[in-house]
Amino acid sequence: TCHAFQRAKQLRISVESLYPRPGWVELDPEVLWSQFIGVIKEAVQAAGLHMRQIAGVGISTQRGTFITWHKRTGKPFHNFISWQDLRSAELVNSWNNSLLLKVIHVIFTVLHFLTGNDRFLAPSFLTFSTHQASMKLSWVFKNIHEVKAARKNNCCFGTVDTWLLYRLTKGSVYATDYSNASSTGIFEPFTKCWNPTLCNLLSIPVSIYPPVRDTSFNFGSTDSEIFGVPIPIMAVVADQQSAMFGECCFHPGDVKLTMGTGGFWNVNTGEHLFAARGSLYPLIGWKIGEEVVYLTEGSISDVGTAIKWALDIELFTDVDETAEMAQSIADSQGVCFIPGLQVSGDDPYLCASFMGLKPSTNRNHLVRAILESIAFRNKLLYDIIVRKVHIPLRTIRADGGVSNNSFVMQMTSDLINKKIEKPANTEMSSLGAAFLAGLASGFWTDKKQLKKLRQVEAVFEPQKDSEEYRPAMDAWLQAMKHSPHR
């Protein structure tokens, strides 16, 4: 219900990361599980409801975080390895610079050119990233003895959604959906199956992967001991794809911009795959029955992360102050913020820094520099999308916590010279999961009903010519070229 959703929105799970070694980022699976159950119970109670009134549950989770566990005992072999984890960085760099990967690119580029068949597109742009599970999973099989010992018949792999499904059903359901599977880097989006060739190259047994189901689908019910009654699990979806669905970006050319911890641009490409080496990658948005919707995604790091860091070091006391601080000065006085607090898929060794500091630099300049860096990177990624995705772009809809920052939103609108809509509710991942669960349970019958539920709070339209930002953006680009590395 609406009340339960609104309360749950305020009780989002926030599991503290563990850092056992430099560059390693993990999550305790038992802490995640207990917080997950606690949030659901508290949200239902706060809404004045009983568990027996819940018609269905939709689960939206982050994508690149994964775990492996023993099939028979259910015991994890290790903590969740986060999408931010860097333990596979050397392996990623080695593969991306390898002769073998270059040969793969050439072969599949030629096949795609000769046949025009989209099944050859994804391999032609295959690039590994520290964000994806693929290389970290390869690392796990090379370095964790218990996983190597169980690899034949007793090892299960799962992203967060699969683990939660397994626990909610006390081991009776082992599955994932197409949106989560396509985000691992091991699932072939066109053929819609786990890639056996890639698994062989990375020495990962195909047998460890879960069956893949539709996104809006009856996955089974929670065990009655957990909530007192069995509750149907009617949708499982990856967070960015869920936000896309929550924004009602149902048509080819619809664009969603999520600005949370990181920034994600997603374009609905309908039945077609689009990619660009090193910047855009194809995903399955959702699969509902016979309908399969593809997305093209590009990402940037250090969006919400940079703002939270600035709050932690007391550049300001409330994030709501930041837009006003940035607007209180004419420019950043030449100060540039270089992102690097969060893992970057393009350059995992980049260090965060400020460049151009002067005796006259104050907090307002530093805050403006951080916010400008978000808008500049939005502009760069949008330009790549325009060049590479050969579909007319339609509406652009923003969500995530940073979409509440009017300075970032207006500057992004000015730079790309496009209107950007911001919904009344910016927690689109939760809403998308609810929409998908509602469709599967029959609460809603079609997407037209969902569109009527959309509420737009603000529309940002271009107010300045993008050329007015040219000197500041050129200075930032130069600073990026000379940025320090770990």
Side-chain angles (χ1 to χ4, degrees):
T1 69
C2 238
H3 294 300
F5 170 71
Q6 290 295 334
R7 182 61 178 153
K9 181 178 70 173
Q10 299 167 23
L11 298 168
R12 293 182 67 195
I13 300 170
S14 180
V15 181
E16 185 176 351
S17 296
L18 306 173
Y19 305 95
R21 296 187 188 180
W24 291 25
V25 187
E26 300 180 353
L27 303 174
D28 186 318
E30 293 306 317
V31 172
L32 186 149
W33 169 250
S34 63
Q35 290 196 14
F36 174 76
I37 297 301
V39 162
I40 293 175
K41 289 180 176 179
E42 189 173 346
V44 173
Q45 183 180 8
L49 299 172
H50 190 276
M51 287 294 180
R52 64 175 174 270
Q53 295 174 271
I54 305 300
V57 172
I59 300 174
S60 169
T61 60
Q62 61 176 240
R63 304 169 297 182
T65 299
F66 74 93
I67 194 169
T68 62
W69 67 94
H70 196 284
K71 184 181 292 185
R72 183 170 50 82
T73 66
K75 183 180 177 181
F77 291 120
H78 52 83
N79 284 334
F80 274 104
I81 297 178
S82 169
W83 64 276
Q84 296 174 298
D85 189 280
L86 276 177
R87 72 187 69 191
S88 65
E90 289 185 9
L91 201 57
V92 167
N93 288 338
S94 174
W95 266 98
N96 285 342
N97 294 318
S98 69
L99 177 61
L100 177 58
L101 195 61
K102 290 179 173 64
V103 171
I104 290 172
H105 288 163
V106 170
I107 291 172
F108 284 97
T109 298
V110 172
L111 287 172
H112 183 254
F113 176 77
L114 293 176
T115 66
N117 193 325
D118 278 353
R119 68 174 297 177
F120 301 123
L121 180 65
S124 72
F125 285 99
L126 176 63
T127 305
F128 295 104
S129 165
T130 56
H131 288 173
Q132 297 169 331
S134 54
M135 279 299 177
K136 283 176 282 201
L137 185 57
S138 179
W139 182 95
V140 163
F141 274 99
K142 287 181 173 68
N143 293 277
I144 299 180
H145 173 73
E146 293 83 357
V147 179
K148 286 192 285 186
R151 64 181 291 155
K152 292 291 184 184
N153 301 306
N154 288 310
C155 183
C156 293
F157 161 86
T159 42
V160 178
D161 60 296
T162 302
W163 169 252
L164 292 177
L165 269 178
Y166 190 83
R167 292 293 299 266
L168 285 168
T169 60
K170 292 204 171 174
S172 65
V173 176
Y174 178 50
T176 188
D177 93 298
Y178 285 92
S179 67
N180 279 289
S182 74
S183 305
T184 61
I186 318 164
F187 191 83
E188 217 294 316
F190 186 81
T191 58
K192 296 183 284 297
C193 64
W194 299 108
N195 190 323
T197 303
L198 188 56
C199 289
N200 286 333
L201 287 174
L202 299 180
S203 301
I204 302 171
V206 180
S207 60
I208 71 166
Y209 297 111
V212 185
R213 309 296 186 210
D214 281 10
T215 307
S216 183
F217 177 79
N218 189 341
F219 285 83
S221 296
T222 64
D223 189 276
S224 58
E225 290 184 6
I226 297 174
F227 298 118
V229 293
I231 299 175
I233 303 166
M234 304 304 289
V236 168
V237 60
D239 55 1
Q240 295 308 318
Q241 289 94 317
S242 186
M244 190 82 170
F245 202 89
E247 289 274 29
C248 297
C249 292
F250 301 141
H251 305 286
D254 283 347
V255 182
K256 184 271 303 176
L257 165 60
T258 294
M259 292 184 288
T261 306
F264 296 87
W265 284 81
N266 294 91
V267 183
N268 184 325
T269 59
E271 300 175 348
H272 303 286
L273 292 171
F274 288 94
R277 191 166 295 127
S279 52
L280 301 177
Y281 39 92
L283 296 170
I284 295 175
W286 52 85
K287 183 178 183 297
I288 305 173
E290 295 302 311
E291 179 195 40
V292 180
V293 172
Y294 291 105
L295 309 180
T296 286
E297 180 173 282
S299 64
I300 59 177
S301 61
D302 281 359
V303 179
T305 308
I307 294 173
K308 183 182 182 302
W309 169 78
L311 175 65
D312 290 343
I313 65 168
E314 299 181 352
L315 284 183
F316 47 85
T317 57
D318 188 329
V319 292
D320 292 337
E321 302 171 7
T322 57
E324 186 176 340
M325 291 173 71
Q327 291 161 351
S328 69
I329 52 178
D331 54 51
S332 68
Q333 209 177 64
V335 176
C336 298
F337 175 71
I338 310 302
L341 295 166
Q342 185 184 1
V343 175
S344 166
D346 296 331
D347 188 350
Y349 297 106
L350 185 66
C351 283
S353 61
F354 285 103
M355 301 184 76
L357 297 176
K358 304 172 184 66
S360 57
T361 300
N362 60 37
R363 294 183 181 190
N364 292 344
H365 297 116
L366 298 178
V367 169
R368 180 168 178 130
I370 291 172
L371 300 185
E372 284 183 343
S373 78
I374 298 170
F376 290 150
R377 285 175 291 145
N378 279 338
K379 162 68 172 172
L380 293 177
L381 199 47
Y382 176 81
D383 286 349
I384 293 171
I385 290 170
V386 170
R387 289 197 308 270
K388 299 295 184 179
V389 179
H390 307 299
I391 293 176
L393 302 183
R394 292 162 47 103
T395 57
I396 300 175
R397 294 166 181 166
D399 61 82
V402 182
S403 68
N404 292 315
N405 189 294
S406 59
F407 179 84
V408 172
M409 290 289 287
Q410 186 58 59
M411 187 172 177
T412 300
S413 175
D414 291 343
L415 285 168
I416 67 175
N417 195 33
K418 291 290 182 182
K419 179 176 72 174
I420 305 175
E421 296 179 1
K422 186 181 88 69
N425 166 38
T426 57
E427 292 292 346
M428 283 293 121
S429 293
S430 301
L431 186 60
F435 280 173
L436 287 158
L439 287 172
S441 62
F443 189 82
W444 295 293
T445 57
D446 57 44
K447 294 176 191 155
K448 290 180 182 178
Q449 291 179 298
L450 303 182
K451 288 181 181 179
K452 292 177 182 177
L453 299 175
R454 284 197 73 245
Q455 293 181 320
V456 178
E457 180 181 273
V459 178
F460 293 84
E461 300 195 39
Q463 294 181 357
K464 290 184 180 180
D465 190 308
S466 61
E467 285 302 309
E468 293 185 38
Y469 296 99
R470 178 59 56 190
M473 189 165 181
D474 285 346
W476 178 79
L477 289 169
Q478 281 297 116
M480 286 289 291
K481 291 179 181 178
H482 298 93
S483 56
H485 286 67
R486 294 182 182 89

